[in-house]
Amino acid sequence: MKAKTISLVLILALMFPFMAKSQVKIKQTAGHDTLGEFAPEFAHLNDDILFGEVWSRNDLLPLRDRSIVTVVALMSQGLIDSSFKSHLEMAKKNGVTKTEIAEILTHAAFYAGWSKAWAAFRMAKEVWTENADSSSVASLEAYGQTLIFPIGKPNDAYAKYFVGQSYTAPIVTEGVPVVNVTFEPGCRNNWHIHRATKGGGQTLICVGGRGYYQEWGKEPVELRPGDSVYIPAGVKHWHGAAPDSWFSHLAIEVPGENSSNEWLESVNEQEYSKLK
């Protein structure tokens, strides 16, 4: 049911080059705020060059990846101070999940040093257990920088069929419709069934974050970028974000006759809370 489709995602990216991410300027004022009068040139280099130019090359390397590189580089030097915590918080805003940062620091421990990893873990544990507002504009914009497709607008038309906030961005409107659907952390749609007298159904291609897909009577399947799911008509299912991660997938409608969508009950809260 689940198969790697990285090549398909790349093909879609080539088909729609106009959707590729353009450079977005990063605004940083920490240098000027803290050292503006004492060391104005250092403040300029920190805010205007390091962040304003280097970090702003997010069209070449996404913010999420830059955060990972920075966190590992600081950890390897043993620089576990307030600036390290700031970069951990930035990594979280840029879409790095609790599961991912734990794996990143574990992997880096073998190269950077065990004691450095312990120190980094203590600070990371604080950051990833804080109740940050994951639906804030800053979090949404930061996550958007990790995607090759736009997030789009709030999915108000179908909000009653979702738990949490979702967003939709039409990618292809003619022929076979393709829509990028983005779920905030913890957001998922209700159980539903794609109906058709012939053909029909839907294909999902994960393009960002981490989420889940589940068919009625089966265990949930974790989805990460490059994973895909084909959903035949008549199959009761749901899909959405993991509790601690944004999630985006392309929804591709399979052509069929007399196609419709039947929305059912919401996903059981107790069962969803068991997902990691």
Side-chain angles (χ1 to χ4, degrees), residues 161-200:
Y161 304 122
F162 284 70
V163 174
Q165 182 65 60
S166 63
Y167 303 82
T168 57
I171 306 302
V172 178
T173 57
E174 299 179 356
V176 178
V178 179
V179 178
N180 185 36
V181 184
T182 294
F183 305 75
E184 71 174 359
C187 176
R188 64 276 188 188
N189 52 32
N190 289 0
W191 290 98
H192 57 286
I193 301 173
H194 301 291
R195 300 290 189 184
T197 55
K198 183 179 180 180

Side-chain angles (χ1 to χ4, degrees), residues 155-164 166 189-190 263-264 266:
N155 188 17
D156 295 335
Y158 292 87
K160 62 182 178 181
Y161 304 122
F162 284 70
V163 174
S166 63
N189 52 32
N190 289 0
W263 290 101
L264 304 167
S266 61

Side-chain angles (χ1 to χ4, degrees), residues 54-67:
V54 178
W55 273 83
S56 291
R57 294 202 294 265
N58 41 66
D59 54 331
L60 302 177
L61 185 67
L63 288 175
R64 179 181 180 279
D65 296 349
R66 289 185 185 276
S67 283

Side-chain angles (χ1 to χ4, degrees), residues 243-274:
D244 64 349
S245 175
W246 290 87
F247 177 59
S248 297
H249 64 58
L250 298 181
I252 305 173
E253 297 299 322
V254 178
E257 297 179 2
N258 301 313
S259 297
S260 63
N261 205 30
E262 180 183 359
W263 290 101
L264 304 167
E265 72 275 16
S266 61
V267 177
N268 182 276
E269 185 68 35
Q270 185 176 1
E271 292 300 316
Y272 178 80
S273 65
K274 296 178 182 178

Side-chain angles (χ1 to χ4, degrees), residues 1-275:
M1 179 179 63
K2 187 176 75 168
K4 291 293 180 181
T5 57
I6 295 176
S7 59
L8 180 54
V9 174
L10 292 175
I11 291 172
L12 287 169
L14 293 173
M15 290 172 60
F16 310 110
F18 55 88
M19 293 298 179
K21 278 291 174 186
S22 59
Q23 181 177 353
V24 177
K25 198 76 169 178
I26 304 301
K27 294 182 180 180
Q28 176 63 270
T29 62
H32 290 290
D33 294 342
T34 306
L35 297 171
E37 294 184 2
F38 186 80
E41 183 59 24
F42 181 87
H44 162 67
L45 292 172
N46 183 83
D47 295 355
D48 305 327
I49 304 301
L50 175 57
F51 286 94
E53 294 186 12
V54 178
W55 273 83
S56 291
R57 294 202 294 265
N58 41 66
D59 54 331
L60 302 177
L61 185 67
L63 288 175
R64 179 181 180 279
D65 296 349
R66 289 185 185 276
S67 283
I68 292 173
V69 171
T70 303
V71 165
V72 172
L74 292 175
M75 171 189 157
S76 66
Q77 299 177 71
L79 300 178
I80 314 300
D81 55 8
S82 59
S83 65
F84 181 72
K85 185 175 183 180
S86 295
H87 277 291
L88 287 175
E89 292 170 342
M90 187 181 299
K92 183 179 179 181
K93 288 184 177 180
N94 288 341
V96 178
T97 68
K98 181 172 63 176
T99 301
E100 289 172 333
I101 194 64
E103 186 63 20
I104 289 166
L105 297 181
T106 299
H107 183 84
F110 287 90
Y111 299 91
W114 216 249
S115 60
K116 293 176 182 177
W118 268 107
F121 268 120
R122 281 192 286 270
M123 194 166 287
K125 188 176 178 180
E126 293 179 10
V127 172
W128 267 265
T129 54
E130 293 174 352
N131 293 322
D133 181 9
S134 62
S135 62
S136 66
V137 174
S139 299
L140 177 62
E141 291 180 346
Y143 172 68
Q145 295 304 312
T146 69
L147 302 176
I148 64 173
F149 297 103
I151 287 177
K153 299 179 180 180
N155 188 17
D156 295 335
Y158 292 87
K160 62 182 178 181
Y161 304 122
F162 284 70
V163 174
Q165 182 65 60
S166 63
Y167 303 82
T168 57
I171 306 302
V172 178
T173 57
E174 299 179 356
V176 178
V178 179
V179 178
N180 185 36
V181 184
T182 294
F183 305 75
E184 71 174 359
C187 176
R188 64 276 188 188
N189 52 32
N190 289 0
W191 290 98
H192 57 286
I193 301 173
H194 301 291
R195 300 290 189 184
T197 55
K198 183 179 180 180
Q202 189 179 58
T203 295
L204 307 179
I205 301 176
C206 179
V207 295
R210 187 172 67 89
Y212 285 93
Y213 166 81
Q214 183 179 17
E215 293 184 1
W216 186 260
K218 297 183 180 180
E219 291 297 313
V221 177
E222 185 181 58
L223 296 177
R224 291 180 178 271
D227 291 341
S228 68
V229 176
Y230 167 61
I231 309 166
V235 174
K236 184 177 179 179
H237 66 284
W238 70 268
H239 37 99
D244 64 349
S245 175
W246 290 87
F247 177 59
S248 297
H249 64 58
L250 298 181
I252 305 173
E253 297 299 322
V254 178
E257 297 179 2
N258 301 313
S259 297
S260 63
N261 205 30
E262 180 183 359
W263 290 101
L264 304 167
E265 72 275 16
S266 61
V267 177
N268 182 276
E269 185 68 35
Q270 185 176 1
E271 292 300 316
Y272 178 80
S273 65
K274 296 178 182 178
L275 301 177

